[in-house]
C-alpha cells in the first residue's frame, strides 16, 4: 500500500502535467508512471511509492456532487497549503520551474530566522498553487 501522498485537482490538465513532468524528476527523483497530457490522471513515483498525482478537477467534482459549486473563491485569500520540495540548489531549482511555466513569487532568499542555513524560493504552478523550494 502507498503511504499518503498529494493529489492535485487541476482544471488545465495539459499545462499542469507539462509543468510537473518537467520539474518533479529533477527536484525529487520521482518519475512519471501513469498519465499523459490528455489526462485525466497522472502519477509520479519514487522507489515504487506514489509521490504526487494529478486528477481532473471537473471529474472529481462530478463524482462527489460539487460540480455546480464555484471552482475558485469569490475573493482573493491567503494560501491554505504549500507544496515543499527540498532541493540541493534553490536558485537552479527556481530557474528550472520558471522555464517550465512556474510564476515567481519570491526569488531565492536566505531565511536564518526560519532555521539555520535555510534558503527558500517561492513560486506558483500553472494554476496558482504555491510551491516552496528549500535547502538547508
Amino acid at each position: 500500500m502507498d503511504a499518503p501522498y498529494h493529489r492535485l485537482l487541476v482544471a488545465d490538465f495539459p499545462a499542469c502535467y507539462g509543468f510537473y513532468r518537467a520539474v518533479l524528476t529533477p527536484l525529487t527523483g520521482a518519475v512519471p508512471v501513469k498519465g499523459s497530457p490528455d489526462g485525466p490522471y497522472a502519477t509520479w513515483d519514487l522507489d515504487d511509492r506514489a509521490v504526487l498525482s494529478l486528477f481532473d478537477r471537473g471529474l472529481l467534482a462530478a463524482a462527489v456532487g460539487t460540480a455546480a459549486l464555484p471552482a475558485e473563491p469569490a475573493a482573493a485569500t491567503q494560501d491554505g497549503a504549500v507544496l515543499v520540495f527540498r532541493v540541493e540548489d534553490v536558485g537552479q531549482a527556481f530557474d528550472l520551474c520558471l522555464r517550465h511555466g512556474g510564476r515567481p513569487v519570491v526569488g531565492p532568499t536566505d531565511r536564518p530566522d526560519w532555521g539555520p542555513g535555510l534558503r527558500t524560493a517561492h513560486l506558483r504552478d500553472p494554476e496558482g498553487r504555491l510551491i516552496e523550494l528549500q535547502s538547508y
Side-chain angles (χ1 to χ4, degrees):
M1 177 169 94
D2 275 335
Y5 63 94
H6 295 89
R7 178 176 294 160
L8 303 180
L9 304 177
V10 301
D12 186 345
F13 200 95
C16 289
Y17 178 85
F19 175 77
Y20 287 103
R21 170 113 185 166
V23 305
L24 269 180
T25 301
L27 295 180
T28 69
V31 296
V33 294
K34 294 178 188 166
S36 74
D38 299 327
Y41 180 80
T43 189
W44 286 261
D45 286 6
L46 179 62
D47 299 328
D48 295 322
R49 299 197 82 146
V51 170
L52 183 76
S53 70
L54 305 178
F55 191 70
D56 182 273
R57 177 187 256 176
L59 286 177
L60 189 62
V64 300
T66 60
L69 297 176
E72 302 298 328
T77 61
Q78 294 179 356
D79 295 287
V82 60
L83 287 174
V84 178
F85 298 110
R86 185 173 177 192
V87 298
E88 189 170 318
D89 185 307
V90 169
Q92 286 180 354
F94 188 70
D95 291 343
L96 171 72
C97 291
L98 297 185
R99 285 195 312 271
H100 292 285
R103 297 184 321 240
V105 175
V106 178
T109 304
D110 292 328
R111 304 263 183 208
D113 52 323
W114 290 12
L118 184 62
R119 185 167 176 78
T120 68
H122 292 87
L123 62 125
R124 296 196 181 277
D125 77 2
E127 289 196 349
R129 276 179 282 288
L130 187 61
I131 295 173
E132 177 179 298
L133 305 169
Q134 63 171 234
S135 65
Y136 52 91

